[in-house]
Amino acid sequence: MTNHRISDQDLMQAAISCALENNTPYGALVVNVRNGEKIVCANTTSSGDKTEHAEMNALRKLNQLIYNDEEDLILYSTAEPCPMCMGAILWCGIKKVKFGISITVVKQFHGQIMVSAQRLNEHYHNDCVITGGVLEEQCFKLFKKLAS
């Protein structure tokens, strides 16, 4: 039996594809690292609900994943999670977050509360590992093309 690990780049590409499904630059997914085939994907919806960010929508689908421990989960997002989303990620117990472009770059396209994901993490338990710059160029191009 082959143990093929899905790469960060493959998973971020999946988040980009998810964003494109709704013609938005925001896409997110959560993967169970114990079983990389178990993924939930979401994007920012256009329903008018200001809390329906891609990350929040992905978190709302966590019950679709089979996992024993939140430490088995990684959230991927085309953009650094905003304070609302990062707070929800921390409350859900997810221990790893990987994103494409930083909140500073996102601000070029949309208004933002300029508090980094890492800053929120430091005020929680500081046990979430946050990594930026995954397919950063592709995510930037996505925002440049689709952000209004």
Side-chain angles (χ1 to χ4, degrees), residues 131-148:
T131 306
V134 179
L135 291 187
E136 185 174 20
E137 185 176 332
Q138 291 90 324
C139 291
F140 180 78
K141 287 178 182 177
L142 178 71
F143 273 77
K144 194 169 179 183
K145 178 180 177 184
L146 296 176
S148 51

Side-chain angles (χ1 to χ4, degrees), residues 100-114:
I101 61 172
S102 72
I103 199 165
T104 305
V105 175
V106 174
K107 187 175 183 196
Q108 296 175 32
F109 302 101
H110 296 119
Q112 290 295 315
I113 298 171
M114 295 305 295

Side-chain angles (χ1 to χ4, degrees), residues 66-136:
I66 298 170
Y67 60 94
N68 295 323
D69 190 335
E70 291 83 3
E71 290 190 22
D72 293 343
L73 305 177
I74 301 176
L75 184 137
Y76 288 81
S77 179
T78 57
E80 180 176 359
C82 74
M84 174 184 69
C85 294
M86 191 62 206
I89 291 163
L90 293 170
W91 282 113
C92 286
I94 293 173
K95 302 294 187 204
K96 290 186 181 177
V97 173
K98 300 187 181 200
F99 63 85
I101 61 172
S102 72
I103 199 165
T104 305
V105 175
V106 174
K107 187 175 183 196
Q108 296 175 32
F109 302 101
H110 296 119
Q112 290 295 315
I113 298 171
M114 295 305 295
V115 178
S116 71
Q118 186 57 45
R119 177 81 186 233
L120 283 176
N121 187 40
E122 290 166 3
H123 288 281
Y124 189 65
H125 297 296
N126 197 23
D127 58 355
C128 183
V129 177
I130 302 167
T131 306
V134 179
L135 291 187
E136 185 174 20

